[in-house]
Amino acid sequence: MSYLTYRYLLRPTALLPDSLRRPLVLSFFLLLAALGIGLHRDYGLSWDEQLDRLNGIISVKYVALRLAPDLARRQPSLAAIPEMSENEDVDHGVIFQMPLVVLEKVLGLEDPRDIYFMRHLVTFFTVLGGVYGFYRLVTQRLGSWFLGLLGAALLVLSPRMFAEAFYNYKDLVFLAFFTLAMYTLTRLLRRPSWLWALSHALATGAALDVRTMGVLLLGFTVGFAALEMWYRPAIRRSLLLALLLYLPTTAAIVVLGWPYLWENPAGNFLAAFQSFSRYRSDMLTQYLGQQISVRSLPWHYAPVWLLVTTPAAYSAAFVAGCTTLAYTIRQQRFSLLRRRTGRQDLLYITWFFAPLAAVVLLHSVLYDGWRHLYFIYPAFLLLALRGVRVAAAAWRTPSGPAARRWSGAALLVVLAGGMLHSAYRIIRDHPYQNVYFSVLPGPVAERLFERDYWGLAGRRGLEWILAQDRKAQVLVGTDARAALVLHNNHLLLPPAERARVVLTSAEQAHYFLTTYRWHPGAYPTSYGPEVYSIRVNGVKILSVFRRP
């Protein structure tokens, strides 16, 4: 392939001068930052947020008692905080949670409403950092800042990811740290140095301290460093020295940022890692129209959830990218690994397929869709962008077969339409993008899959009740297992309105509120008339009944 062919056919930036790179990229990320600031107060409080904050508080207490015990014991609120031994969520790292607890104290935040809005904003900006890391990763691999910006746009214009970037402290923050770690890994492999070794150790440690699945990064790093040293003997010494710095630094960061590990680093980490493949209770989840145990999920659970919640146009580009890559591998076989780009492609293939295969083979417990695997989504988009690049090359090759040119043009049109439709759905469904389904009609999705498993719609239900019923006290109830939905979301009400809400049993309540988790079917008439509901693209996610 000649230089001119590469320059003008395979690089979309040929359509735009490089002078536009900085203003376009800067404008894109400033727009995202503005959206984060403007929208972070719109979302409800999800199931896990109070538990995550408590985990951070317990860990801060643990650290305070060891670093400054006399000062810590003089704090009047210390006795009310559980001990580390009483914490049921010790298997979740707190490198992200502890700074948030400290930040709320520094800012003097006391009202839960202000505390959780602050946490939503910080979470969004953390995820935004991961989006920037993905932009850099794509730009480096595909040699195009335009494709890098397109990749960042695809990530943001994924409705479920957009919503969960505000409140999903575990999965979206883990996606951000994992993506940054993959970027620092590619830089380390390309030009080994102590600076990139430390940067990669920091990103890896942060990812591990959010989810133990971050241990995959250690395997990726050692395995692909060995591959790099095999094909590039000149860097063996520098890369080996970088690894010798990276591994102990990563271990130190993991232990430092996760106080639960301090007394028994190896044993406690192993226990936390093993908890990923099991769950403390036999919870049920709605899948393909049936309530099934999370301990006995079919092998296709995660792939099906990925397919039905990812924009169809993105999936089409992914299939195209995988097809072209498979063809290249078939043609070049092991000679593909002689090139740095070939080894990077192998890394991204492993990033996407290895965790998916591990979950299937190890029968790992998953629930709430495929959110535990969100961190493989950037790899999914990288492979999709490969398909986009090939489609653009086919379209812009005048001498190519007509069928190839038109198929390339069709994929580009489908992708553009898919992005516009995703943007429309994000705007129209706000703030319930978390129940986006790509190709399923609302009634079908409602019957087959979990809906608002985060319980976010509970906030709007409470607000509606209080706006309609002006009594000094309003009794609200829900299903016994879903009581946390009301307890969480009433914390986001203004103090005066919060004081009016009395959370009680369904039998004693004036209003019964449900988000349909663990009760996907209709409620009997004995619950009273339905006076309010929320539907998102035909999927009912909340109902309020006035009790007789």
Side-chain angles (χ1 to χ4, degrees), residues 20 78 106 154 162 191 209 222 250 265 286 365 387 408 447 463 496:
L20 289 179
L78 189 71
V106 170
L154 289 174
F162 183 89
R191 292 181 180 174
D209 270 0
V222 174
T250 299
Q286 180 79 358
V365 170
R447 177 173 57 86
E463 290 172 343

Side-chain angles (χ1 to χ4, degrees), residues 438-470:
S438 56
V439 295
L440 297 177
V444 176
E446 181 180 291
R447 177 173 57 86
L448 296 181
F449 297 100
E450 292 280 0
R451 310 179 206 178
D452 180 19
Y453 48 72
W454 288 117
L456 302 175
R459 175 186 176 185
R460 179 59 188 142
L462 289 171
E463 290 172 343
W464 184 89
I465 292 171
L466 293 173
Q468 299 298 314
D469 193 324
R470 301 309 303 174

Side-chain angles (χ1 to χ4, degrees), residues 446 451 464-465 510-516 521-535 539-548:
E446 181 180 291
R451 310 179 206 178
W464 184 89
I465 292 171
H510 298 153
Y511 297 90
F512 178 83
L513 182 153
T514 179
T515 58
Y516 292 97
Y523 282 81
T525 56
S526 60
Y527 280 79
E530 183 182 58
V531 292
Y532 181 69
S533 66
I534 296 176
R535 288 184 180 271
V539 177
K540 183 182 285 188
I541 63 172
L542 177 128
S543 288
V544 175
F545 300 90
R546 182 179 285 115
R547 298 289 289 153

